[in-house]
Amino acid sequence: MKRLRWPRWMPVDPYILLLATVGLAALLPARGTSADVANGASTAAIAFLFFLYGARLSTREALDGLKHWRLHVTVLACTFVVFPLLGLASRGLVPVLLTDPLHQGLLFCTLVPSTIQSSIAFTSIARGNVPAAICAGSFSSLVGIVATPLLAAALLGGSAGGFSADSLVKIVVQLLVPFVAGQVLRRWIGGFVTRHKKVLGLADRGSILLVVYTAFSAGMAQGVWHQVSPVRLAGLLAVEAVLLAVMLALTWYGAKALRFGRADRIAIQFAGSKKSLASGLPMAGVLFGAHASLAVLPLMLFHQMQLMVCAVIAKRRSHDPEAEDTPDPGTAARPTAGTGASRG
């Protein structure tokens, strides 16, 4: 029997370790003093993540990308306008398919920025506009640092840990200050970040896993798994499948209606229909605090779903008849250490 192999065209998602981390938190949750240590380490990890994001983002390339402003405005509108509107509309599914906490988590999922790395990978596979995907993902992440907390304050209200002056200070200290510091120091540490991108990549993924472990350890103390029955979980998956299908259709046919070319439509579809786990998890840790476990569950599930579905679509797009007459944009530009290294 031929040994089964992971398809080459489907990028392996290292965040599959999230499931194992959630399992570890369920079996061995941090309690007492260990919980305090984990919370402190998680806070430091979030600051470190956004420092790396700032150090990796090439400001020069981002400014060059402004030349294609119509595409970037379209992606930002999908990410921070259309997605949240659909999240608000899903309120009508409570309590039939969703509980209030799951709806709050789903709404938060619709507020986070788009991905960078996976959007670039799928755009390249589908022979789309790779430079546009790089810039679109970078702009989305940059705007999301400010837009996501503000949208959470406006739409989630007290559910986001009671958005207050203290919450604002946490966002500035844990997200904005490290990001700006990374941008300022990029001139001197950019080479180091490039040379050690593999090691730093493991470090930032490890930081994400620490944030997940801390959140779900707190969730275990609150009895989070008693709040989500298998039926509710199935309902959440169904709602997210519909949400993803709607956004994939809107980004593709909407871009066509706006008269974008094939390569640009591909970049818009993959950058405008995705949500970043790497950005969303740390933000949830800051915004929701001890209640972050249920808040990040919809985002974690949506992240895995979007990877599997978009991998299939990207493979099919690469065989479109239109693609035969279109030069492969991936050969024209590849993700650089400045932008493509950020994790989606």
Side-chain angles (χ1 to χ4, degrees):
M1 182 179 294
K2 188 177 180 180
R3 186 173 64 178
L4 295 177
R5 294 182 180 179
W6 190 264
R8 292 182 180 180
W9 47 268
M10 182 179 289
V12 178
D13 178 26
Y15 288 123
I16 196 69
L17 291 174
L18 286 170
L19 299 178
T21 304
V22 172
L24 178 63
L27 295 174
L28 298 171
R31 300 182 186 277
T33 303
S34 61
D36 294 334
V37 173
N39 287 328
S42 177
T43 300
I46 291 172
F48 177 67
L49 276 173
F50 278 83
F51 175 80
L52 285 182
Y53 293 161
R56 286 168 175 159
L57 178 61
S58 172
T59 307
R60 186 174 183 178
E61 289 181 0
L63 292 175
D64 288 342
L66 286 173
K67 298 174 183 177
H68 208 351
W69 64 271
R70 285 183 66 244
L71 184 147
H72 302 312
V73 168
T74 302
V75 171
L76 290 175
C78 291
T79 303
F80 297 112
V81 178
V82 180
F83 251 120
L85 288 175
L86 292 175
L88 288 173
S90 67
R91 175 66 188 176
L93 301 175
V94 179
V96 180
L97 289 177
L98 303 173
T99 62
D100 278 315
L102 286 180
H103 173 259
Q104 296 294 334
L106 179 64
L107 181 55
F108 173 74
C109 174
T110 65
L111 306 181
V112 303
S114 177
T115 63
I116 299 179
Q117 189 179 32
S118 55
S119 294
I120 295 169
F122 291 135
T123 300
S124 179
I125 292 170
R127 302 181 67 177
N129 190 336
V130 175
I134 295 173
C135 293
S138 300
F139 291 151
S140 181
S141 294
L142 186 60
V143 172
I145 293 177
V146 176
T148 298
L150 292 179
L151 287 170
L155 302 181
L156 292 172
S159 301
F163 199 86
S164 60
D166 183 59
S167 300
L168 183 60
V169 171
K170 286 183 178 180
I171 290 169
V172 171
V173 172
Q174 292 188 46
L175 306 184
L176 287 178
V177 171
F179 181 86
V180 172
Q183 278 280 284
V184 171
L185 295 176
R186 189 178 188 280
R187 178 180 178 182
W188 295 278
I189 66 174
F192 177 85
V193 171
T194 301
R195 291 192 302 271
H196 300 85
K197 60 182 180 181
K198 290 185 177 180
V199 175
L200 291 175
L202 293 175
D204 66 17
R205 290 176 188 274
S207 299
I208 290 290
L209 295 179
L210 177 59
V211 172
V212 172
Y213 175 76
T214 303
F216 277 89
S217 289
M220 287 301 297
Q222 301 164 13
V224 63
W225 295 117
H226 297 292
Q227 302 175 40
V228 185
S229 67
V231 174
R232 293 297 189 186
L233 192 59
L236 174 62
L237 287 171
V239 172
E240 291 194 324
V242 173
L243 175 64
L244 179 59
V246 169
M247 287 305 303
L248 287 170
L250 283 177
T251 50
W252 182 251
Y253 294 107
K256 183 177 182 180
L258 293 173
R259 299 190 177 185
F260 284 100
R262 178 188 178 278
D264 289 345
R265 289 167 64 194
I266 289 173
I268 290 171
Q269 182 177 53
F270 289 126
S273 64
K274 314 248 300 293
K275 290 296 179 180
S276 173
L277 191 66
S279 297
L281 286 177
M283 288 181 180
V286 175
L287 294 173
F288 293 91
H291 304 283
S293 52
L294 267 184
V296 302
L297 181 60
L299 177 59
M300 291 171 60
L301 296 176
F302 189 83
H303 177 81
Q304 300 299 324
M305 186 183 297
Q306 72 186 10
L307 284 180
M308 293 185 287
V309 173
C310 289
V312 174
I313 293 175
K315 180 62 176 179
R316 293 191 175 184
R317 291 264 186 265
S318 68
H319 295 304
D320 284 348
E322 297 176 68
E324 299 302 323
D325 301 323
T326 304
D328 184 1
T331 61
R334 292 291 178 187
T336 64
T339 53
S342 297
R343 304 297 176 185

